[in-house]
Amino acid sequence: MCVSVKYSARGPALIPRMKTKHRIYYIALFSVVLLGLIATGMFQFWPHSIESTADWSVERRSVRDSPLVHLPASSPIPERGDLSCRMHTCFDVYRCGYNPKNRIKVYIYPLRRYVDELGAPISSTGLSREYNELLSAISDSEFYTDDVSRACLFIPSIDVLNQNSLRIRETAQALAQLHRWERGMNHLLFNMLPGGPPDYNTALDVPRDRALLAGGGFSTWTYRQGYDVSIPVYSPLSAEVELPKKQPGLFHCSLSQPASYFVLSSQTAVHMEYRAELEALKAENGEVVLILDKCTNLSEGVSPTRKRCYKGQVYDYPQTLQESTFCVVLRGARLGQAVLSDVLQAGCVPVIIADSYILPFSEVLDWKRASVVIPEDKLSEMYSILKSIPQRQVEEMQRQAHWFWEAYFSSMKAIALATLQIINDRIYPYAARSYEQWNDPSVVKWSSVNNPLFLPLIPPRSPGFTAVVLTYDRVESLFRVITEISKVPSLSKLLVVWNNQNKSPPEESIWPKITVPLKVVRTTENKLSNRFFPYDEIETEAVLAIDDDIIMLTSDELQFGYEVWREFPDRLVGYPGRLHLWDHEMSKWKYESEWTNEVSMVLTGAAFYHKYFNYLYTYKMPGDIKNWVDAHMNCEDIAMNFLVANITGKAPIKVTPRKKFKCPECTAIDGLSLDQTHMVERSECINKFASVFGMMPLKVVEHRADPVLYKDDFPEKLKSFPNIGSL
């Protein structure tokens, strides 16, 4: 059967031409649908000007210029507050959604003046300086958004920091007027001074529905674990007084040095029973205990908040806190005390005696590192408890106390941002700050390094690796090592750690000329642990630790080792393998270097690893292992194997067949490993480290990684790594 097809200038006419009236109808219908889609898009994506133009901004901080809002007596009042609230029941996390930065967005309500029917304000102070600073800090932070539709968290511009200045009922009515209140869902209130006479409740008395509370005086009865945030009571002296940084370990008794105290109490209005017990401690222990109180004999014009007295003698406050090792922080009418901030600023170790008090930011801060908490009924034993603390621990606590103040107490900005970060960590737990980030001083730059346990499956190839060569005095061998390593394609930088303090490195002109940056770092002490210090010069994730006498590794072997590490970035990947064995006759561990089918360690004389382990080795090595290594000038590689195996629960990976390394030019005097006592000490190290770890973390494996075509009978040009050593 034949079918005829009509052609036109535009091609074959496969569809019959529409009648004119039908064509007009469909064109009109299509136009209506198109206009509808355009209008929908405009409404969907046009800025939400109705709600976003009145946002809280710098220009709107003046209470006098803000709009007036009258609250009728019949205005609704929120419920008291649900003590059963938790993040999964009273917080809508779906408002936060996913975003690439894993950061919540915070909206601040526009400033309003709330008054009752008679025109009386709901607060006697309006917007306090402290609350203004807090809102300013949030509005300047990365958390802030002026688009209410994008907000995950809402903060009223109603100042409830100090309950004493509030009219409870009217403040609650003002909260209920907020246009996004919705029973307080996803709202955050900041309050530092809760309660009032005579009860002094430990949480804000203003009815607040399901709102989160960042409170400064929580007890275990009122604190909703994982929902509320315990914050410090800000001390205004932080901004008024600048204290010199205190040297840890101040306490002394020498008459030739300025007077100092072991325990100092500086609080006023302390309960008479506590005051009597403190006086008894002073009577028993003499001048090393100082009990101060408010002054009654000050000259006119002298601020009583800046002075403390004892038997007519006047002391400057808070400067006098720096003259003591321990400073008492007692429960007052309220659990939260501003004196805690003053004590931390002074670098004095706070002795907290306030049963059931939830310490500020205790959800993330390890207060055992910076304070001593003593039950109230043990107050009479305080002196003996404090005397039992080792001096080294005291000095560490003093440093930690001052750092806590700098990071989290020193300003309203620090308090506000720490609070928001805690809430942010709850909502995005997979991106939360680590224990180290919250508790370690910034000298440890944890933010500059990723944990290899959470890396992508394969780290990127482009950055390559940094070779770190530890050397002392073998210049000729060092230069040969540098020359060989420079041939490896993935080498990014070469770092020489010069461990000889009695001799300067060679002149720059005689160093090998290589195509990658070459840096020399001079150390202050001759320690093996210097090999694992997290130098700022190490910018790549991959590190190759290599000795200055390892000249026999080929560029193919090193490149292959790096490729294996990329597949296993949480492992130690190295060349010389070793084994630990249990000696049944001696009932202890033994170090084995003979050729076997098993491996549990790779020596860091030539090994790849992630630079994160440099931080752990330097700052988080358990017990006294690091000091042991430096004292014995041995076993730093075993210590690193213990550390990595303990963190990851995995064995190292040995690459290529090479089992032993020999340096033809080295003599017995040059090499540590040739010492007769070397093997005995290595076994001692394994037993020592196992006792410190409380277990044996090393894992034994029976495999190694070789290139795929390593022993196959193929032409060399087909092999990616043809030059692999056999021994």
Side-chain angles (χ1 to χ4, degrees):
M1 181 175 71
C2 296
V3 178
S4 64
V5 179
K6 296 181 180 180
Y7 284 83
S8 67
R10 297 183 181 179
L14 299 180
I15 302 175
R17 188 180 297 276
M18 288 185 183
K19 293 182 179 180
T20 302
K21 63 178 182 179
H22 291 159
R23 186 168 67 249
I24 294 174
Y25 170 77
Y26 283 112
I27 291 174
L29 179 62
F30 175 75
S31 300
V32 171
V33 173
L34 180 61
L35 288 173
L37 291 173
I38 293 174
T40 302
M42 291 177 65
F43 281 108
Q44 178 71 26
F45 299 108
W46 199 263
H48 298 272
S49 57
I50 294 176
E51 292 184 303
S52 63
T53 54
D55 53 321
W56 196 90
S57 62
V58 175
E59 293 75 23
R60 295 180 176 271
R61 292 179 190 168
S62 174
V63 177
R64 292 187 299 272
D65 299 335
S66 59
L68 194 65
V69 177
H70 287 271
L71 299 171
S74 59
S75 295
I77 299 176
E79 294 181 4
R80 175 71 181 170
D82 191 349
L83 284 176
S84 66
C85 271
R86 297 296 183 269
M87 292 297 288
H88 62 280
T89 59
C90 295
F91 192 94
D92 184 6
V93 296
Y94 296 105
R95 278 185 177 172
C96 306
Y98 168 78
N99 63 78
K101 293 185 177 180
N102 297 312
R103 185 175 295 117
I104 61 173
K105 288 299 179 182
V106 180
Y107 176 79
I108 301 175
Y109 282 96
L111 193 59
R112 299 285 186 266
R113 287 183 296 153
Y114 292 93
V115 296
D116 63 15
E117 285 184 331
L118 303 177
I122 66 172
S123 170
S124 61
T125 58
L127 190 70
S128 65
R129 182 187 69 182
E130 288 79 11
Y131 198 59
N132 186 48
E133 291 175 358
L134 183 144
L135 295 181
S136 299
I138 296 174
S139 68
D140 293 336
S141 73
E142 294 182 334
F143 293 105
Y144 179 68
T145 180
D146 59 2
D147 185 351
V148 70
S149 66
R150 296 178 59 211
C152 165
L153 192 65
F154 304 89
I155 298 180
S157 56
I158 302 170
D159 185 354
V160 295
L161 283 178
N162 184 354
Q163 185 176 313
N164 289 340
S165 65
L166 302 177
R167 297 169 64 188
I168 303 299
R169 175 185 174 87
E170 288 75 10
T171 301
Q173 289 176 323
L175 291 175
Q177 294 287 324
L178 300 174
H179 60 273
R180 292 271 177 158
W181 181 248
E182 298 175 9
R183 296 190 62 196
M185 290 279 286
N186 292 47
H187 282 67
L188 174 64
L189 305 179
F190 285 88
N191 168 251
M192 289 184 176
L193 298 178
D199 298 327
Y200 288 101
N201 292 330
T202 57
L204 180 67
D205 288 328
V206 175
R208 56 188 184 277
D209 279 328
R210 298 180 174 181
L212 290 84
L213 184 59
F218 281 120
S219 72
T220 53
W221 295 97
T222 55
Y223 179 65
R224 295 172 291 185
Q225 181 74 34
Y227 192 66
D228 293 325
V229 181
S230 180
I231 63 174
V233 178
Y234 176 68
S235 173
L237 294 179
S238 298
E240 299 174 8
V241 180
E242 185 174 351
L243 298 177
K245 191 166 183 180
K246 174 181 174 181
Q247 293 300 319
L250 177 67
F251 176 68
H252 48 76
C253 296
S254 172
L255 295 177
S256 63
Q257 299 183 18
S260 59
Y261 309 97
F262 185 65
V263 181
L264 185 150
S265 173
S266 61
Q267 288 175 255
T268 60
V270 173
H271 192 279
M272 63 180 70
E273 291 184 6
Y274 294 146
R275 176 73 61 181
E277 290 197 60
L278 291 173
E279 292 289 354
L281 282 172
K282 177 168 179 56
E284 182 179 348
N285 299 286
E287 297 299 320
V288 295
V289 178
L290 180 62
I291 311 299
L292 301 177
D293 203 349
K294 63 182 178 181
C295 297
T296 57
N297 58 342
L298 293 177
S299 303
E300 187 175 350
V302 178
S303 173
T305 61
R306 299 289 301 275
K307 302 294 180 181
R308 296 289 187 272
C309 290
Y310 178 72
K311 292 185 177 180
Q313 185 175 353
V314 182
Y315 296 81
D316 291 330
Y317 182 86
Q319 289 84 348
T320 188
L321 296 174
Q322 288 198 305
E323 299 181 30
S324 183
T325 303
F326 295 97
C327 295
V328 179
V329 180
L330 270 165
R331 139 196 319 267
R334 292 183 174 90
L335 274 177
Q337 299 289 318
V339 69
L340 175 59
S341 180
D342 296 337
V343 167
L344 295 174
Q345 182 183 10
C348 189
V349 179
V351 183
I352 300 168
I353 307 174
D355 291 355
S356 77
Y357 176 42
I358 303 297
L359 286 166
F361 304 131
S362 56
E363 183 174 338
V364 293
L365 299 188
D366 187 351
W367 279 97
K368 295 189 298 296
R369 295 174 58 173
S371 68
V372 180
V373 179
I374 297 178
E376 293 177 18
D377 60 1
K378 300 288 186 181
L379 176 57
S380 60
E381 304 173 29
M382 176 180 64
Y383 190 86
S384 59
I385 292 173
L386 299 180
K387 288 295 288 183
S388 66
I389 301 175
Q391 179 63 20
R392 180 178 176 182
Q393 183 179 347
V394 171
E395 294 175 6
E396 292 174 354
M397 294 169 78
Q398 288 175 323
R399 280 189 288 265
Q400 191 74 12
H402 183 73
W403 184 75
F404 272 4
W405 178 82
E406 285 183 330
Y408 308 112
F409 285 69
S410 57
S411 64
M412 293 301 297
K413 176 181 179 180
I415 295 171
L417 297 186
T419 302
L420 295 183
Q421 186 62 51
I422 288 173
I423 297 172
N424 194 91
D425 288 357
R426 296 173 184 169
I427 296 171
Y428 302 106
Y430 51 86
R433 297 181 69 186
S434 66
Y435 171 91
E436 290 79 12
Q437 288 173 304
W438 280 109
N439 291 279
D440 287 347
S442 55
V443 66
V444 184
K445 300 177 182 178
W446 293 98
S447 60
S448 66
V449 61
N450 295 317
N451 188 328
L453 303 182
F454 301 99
L455 284 175
L457 291 180
I458 299 180
R461 182 190 303 272
S462 55
F465 66 90
T466 301
V468 178
V469 187
L470 183 70
T471 189
Y472 187 81
D473 199 18
R474 293 193 288 233
V475 175
E476 182 179 353
S477 175
L478 169 67
F479 286 178
R480 289 185 61 184
V481 169
I482 292 174
T483 302
E484 291 302 318
I485 297 177
S486 67
K487 300 174 184 177
V488 183
S490 294
L491 178 66
S492 174
K493 181 186 290 185
L494 207 151
L495 182 65
V496 175
V497 179
W498 189 265
N499 224 16
N500 189 341
Q501 291 76 46
N502 301 318
K503 182 179 179 180
S504 298
E507 295 181 4
E508 183 178 351
S509 59
I510 67 173
W511 286 78
K513 301 299 185 288
I514 59 178
T515 58
V516 299
L518 171 61
K519 304 287 185 179
V520 179
V521 176
R522 299 190 65 176
T523 61
T524 57
E525 294 182 79
N526 181 19
K527 296 181 177 180
L528 287 179
S529 294
N530 289 334
R531 136 178 291 158
F532 299 129
F533 187 82
Y535 298 102
D536 291 338
E537 289 78 4
I538 302 175
E539 298 174 323
T540 60
E541 293 176 339
V543 178
L544 168 65
I546 189 165
D547 286 342
D548 61 359
D549 60 346
I550 305 298
I551 59 177
M552 65 294 299
L553 280 174
T554 66
S555 60
D556 277 354
E557 285 178 280
L558 291 170
Q559 180 64 27
F560 176 69
Y562 171 65
E563 297 292 346
V564 172
W565 176 86
R566 289 184 64 249
E567 299 284 344
F568 305 96
D570 57 341
R571 310 278 194 103
L572 273 174
V573 176
Y575 301 86
R578 298 293 185 263
L579 180 67
H580 72 290
L581 298 171
W582 179 255
D583 188 330
H584 292 279
E585 294 184 1
M586 303 295 293
S587 295
K588 62 180 184 180
W589 296 105
K590 177 184 176 183
Y591 177 81
E592 181 61 73
S593 64
E594 295 300 320
W595 294 6
T596 67
N597 285 320
E598 297 177 324
V599 171
S600 62
M601 295 173 279
V602 292
L603 304 188
T604 55
F608 289 92
Y609 62 92
H610 194 281
K611 70 174 181 178
Y612 177 78
F613 295 118
N614 279 346
Y615 287 80
L616 295 184
Y617 186 99
T618 303
Y619 299 109
K620 293 297 177 183
M621 180 65 77
D624 61 343
I625 290 178
K626 189 165 170 285
N627 293 333
W628 170 282
V629 167
D630 293 332
H632 290 74
M633 289 297 287
N634 202 346
C635 302
E636 86 285 1
D637 47 0
I638 298 178
M640 179 61 90
N641 276 271
F642 266 75
L643 179 69
V644 176
N646 185 63
I647 292 292
T648 65
K650 299 176 182 179
I653 296 178
K654 172 172 168 43
V655 290
T656 74
R658 196 182 293 276
K659 294 182 174 64
K660 292 190 176 183
F661 296 92
K662 294 180 180 179
C663 174
E665 291 84 2
C666 300
T667 65
I669 299 176
D670 293 321
L672 283 173
S673 60
L674 299 181
D675 192 315
Q676 293 182 355
T677 63
H678 178 70
M679 298 298 290
V680 175
E681 279 200 355
R682 305 280 280 180
S683 296
E684 289 182 5
C685 289
I686 291 180
N687 287 282
K688 164 69 177 178
F689 300 166
S691 66
V692 172
F693 277 87
M695 57 174 290
M696 172 50 71
L698 299 178
K699 307 288 191 242
V700 178
V701 291
E702 298 180 355
H703 61 77
R704 73 169 188 242
D706 289 337
V708 174
L709 299 179
Y710 166 61
K711 282 198 171 183
D712 292 334
D713 189 14
F714 277 83
E716 294 296 304
K717 63 181 180 179
L718 297 179
K719 298 182 179 181
S720 297
F721 307 99
N723 191 10
I724 298 293
S726 59
L727 291 176

